[in-house]
Amino acid sequence: MDNAFIAKEFKWDCRSLRPRQRLLSRVVERVLKLQLAPLSFCWENANVEARMNVFHLVSQTAFYRVPGDVVEIGCNSGEMSIVIRKVLDTYAPHKTLHVYDSFEGLPEPAGDDSSNGIYKSGDMSASRRVLVGRFEQLGLDLPHIHQGWFEDTIPSQMPDQISFAYIDADLYSSTKHVLPHVYARLSPGAICAFGVYYDETVFRRDETWDTFKSPGVKRATDEFFADKPESVSVLYANEYSNGYFRKSLDEA
Ligand SMILES: C[S@@+](CC[C@H](N)C(=O)[O-])C[C@H]1O[C@@H](n2cnc3c(N)ncnc32)[C@H](O)[C@@H]1O
């Protein structure tokens, strides 16, 4: 299947200026003698590179028939959920997609999540109605929507077996709660990806904002994998940084 929809259907290709931005750019360049590159900056939850990473990872698990359903933990208004559903419709239409979110944004940050001062309660809030509308507009089957705090919906509302998981929760507390339950349900060969996994030893980005680094995610993830056979690898995602691991084929 092609993946041109990632750039065509939504404003995920943030570096290609839209016609109105191009016009504004030209005016500002001529009048103020300034380059307007920052206006092409991405304000979405992810970018084209992040969508492409997930496109290829879900395709891999679906094409190779890794058993289990698919979960997105931290779905916001469903943009990545659409990418996932489209891939599943091509390679594994029988698989159920489960998505999880408070739809009230982040919980009150505590501990390190609070002291690093990046997030506050309610940041990233999104509308369940928008998610449903997007799926309907594209004629896609709705995912199973598990609305509520992860601490209330996970693990009780999780499928028994998972072939692909996308954890995009921003906070240490949320990632720490979710990861052990996902890990326990991943089939051998299943893939779990993280929305933000910033590792400056792999690719240091001094210029990018703290919200694109979400340090709590890496901390919670690294703590979890300290005694596991797998480890997380960084995937380039421009101003973001994704991560992923593949569940060992050797059952513990
Ligand atoms: C970065 S956004 C997800 C973006 C989405 N995956 C995408 O690619 O478009 C993170 C989401 O996690 C949710 N979230 C984080 N911690 C949560 C928790 N403990 N319970 C419920 N939702 C939570 C927030 O509401 C927010 O919508």
Side-chain angles (χ1 to χ4, degrees), residues 208-226:
T208 201
W209 293 12
D210 285 348
T211 44
F212 298 137
K213 297 177 179 169
S214 299
V217 173
K218 181 173 185 310
R219 194 161 69 83
T221 309
D222 290 355
E223 281 174 14
F224 179 78
F225 282 104

Side-chain angles (χ1 to χ4, degrees), residues 12 44-47 50-51 54 72-81 100-107 119 122-126 134 146-153 166-171 173-175 177-178 195-196 214 240:
W12 294 334
E44 306 291 333
N45 279 307
N47 56 21
R51 308 293 178 202
V54 167
E72 182 186 4
I73 300 174
C75 63
N76 201 262
S77 55
E79 297 193 356
M80 195 67 94
S81 326
Y100 302 78
D101 209 292
S102 65
F103 297 105
E104 295 176 34
L106 301 176
Y119 297 110
D123 280 354
M124 244 86 65
S125 71
R134 283 186 165 142
H146 304 273
Q147 179 165 357
W149 301 112
F150 299 156
E151 293 72 9
D152 299 325
T153 56
Y166 186 56
I167 301 178
D168 194 5
D170 291 320
L171 298 179
S173 62
S174 301
T175 309
H177 172 74
V178 160
V196 187
S214 299
Y240 287 89

Side-chain angles (χ1 to χ4, degrees), residues 106-120:
L106 301 176
E108 187 69 49
D112 275 11
D113 283 327
S114 158
S115 55
N116 66 28
I118 299 174
Y119 297 110
K120 57 183 187 327

Side-chain angles (χ1 to χ4, degrees), residues 84-100:
I84 297 171
R85 188 66 261 171
K86 276 184 171 261
V87 174
L88 293 179
D89 282 351
T90 299
Y91 293 120
H94 58 282
K95 283 190 190 284
T96 303
L97 171 61
H98 295 262
V99 301
Y100 302 78

